[in-house]
Amino acid sequence: EGSAYWIANKAIREALKVLDGRSKNTAFLDALLEFAGLPRQLSQTNAHALTTWLYARESSTELANFAPWITRLAEHNPSAKLLLEDAGKSLAELVEAILQQGSFQHPVTVSIGGSVLKYSMPTKNAFLHHLPKTCTFSEPMLPPVLGATLLAWLSQNPWSTSIIDHL
């Protein structure tokens, strides 16, 4: 939830509602047609071409690449901004769920990884707003792979946690 794929999937669903008459908001459809390299016009031919294009995607990553288009759309479209804010709220709810499953010393420091929270300010702002009050937020000090490596090393060498103070 809240990932680039999640955002793209929600936006695609909104776009398809225009094609079947359940919505008049064409912003998501226009963005999707442009992303897919199809003409921005409503027609049966175009609807068929878009459906064919969607089903031809071989991985969720290909569809996740649509999320940055939604971030750009959110600069002037309230529906896109709301979708990104929902993504941030969903990510904060995941943090809350994790906190409920474990015993943590509070406050818990939360950091982020991934492109959505790095590049989508509506998503990041909503995430921070909905983050549980028992958490503090810290911008990442290292790229995710180095942070994970450090955490793995520290789990095997707990006596050396002072290394973090020297970063």
Side-chain angles (χ1 to χ4, degrees):
E1 293 182 29
S3 68
Y5 176 75
W6 184 90
I7 291 167
N9 190 8
K10 294 271 188 184
I12 290 167
R13 288 173 181 262
E14 290 302 313
L16 295 178
K17 285 180 183 179
V18 175
L19 291 179
D20 63 21
R22 292 181 289 151
S23 176
K24 301 274 187 229
N25 182 354
T26 62
F28 291 113
L29 179 59
D30 290 344
L32 181 59
L33 288 169
E34 188 175 330
F35 176 72
L38 297 170
R40 289 174 60 179
Q41 60 189 17
L42 294 178
S43 69
Q44 286 295 82
T45 303
N46 221 18
H48 178 72
L50 180 59
T51 304
T52 301
W53 182 87
L54 285 168
Y55 281 108
R57 301 307 93 206
E58 294 185 10
S59 73
S60 58
T61 303
E62 288 182 76
L63 293 178
N65 288 331
F66 182 46
W69 291 63
I70 303 307
T71 298
R72 285 190 295 279
L73 181 62
E75 293 172 6
H76 61 273
N77 182 283
S79 297
K81 185 176 180 189
L82 183 60
L83 191 155
L84 295 176
E85 290 169 346
D86 286 346
K89 182 179 179 188
S90 292
L91 290 168
E93 289 170 350
L94 289 172
V95 171
E96 178 69 34
I98 291 168
L99 291 175
Q100 291 176 3
Q101 294 180 24
S103 58
F104 298 92
Q105 289 184 330
H106 296 286
V108 173
T109 301
V110 175
S111 192
I112 59 171
S115 61
V116 171
L117 289 173
K118 185 175 181 180
Y119 297 113
S120 172
M121 289 313 295
T123 306
K124 184 176 181 180
N125 290 339
F127 172 75
L128 294 174
H129 177 75
H130 293 285
L131 199 61
K133 302 302 178 219
T134 56
C135 296
T136 59
F137 177 75
S138 174
E139 290 288 347
M141 292 186 280
L142 300 169
V145 69
L146 292 178
T149 302
L150 178 60
L151 288 173
W153 185 76
L154 289 173
S155 73
Q156 299 302 309
N157 302 287
W159 49 267
S160 60
T161 57
S162 64
I163 193 171
I164 292 175
D165 296 333
H166 300 289
L167 289 177

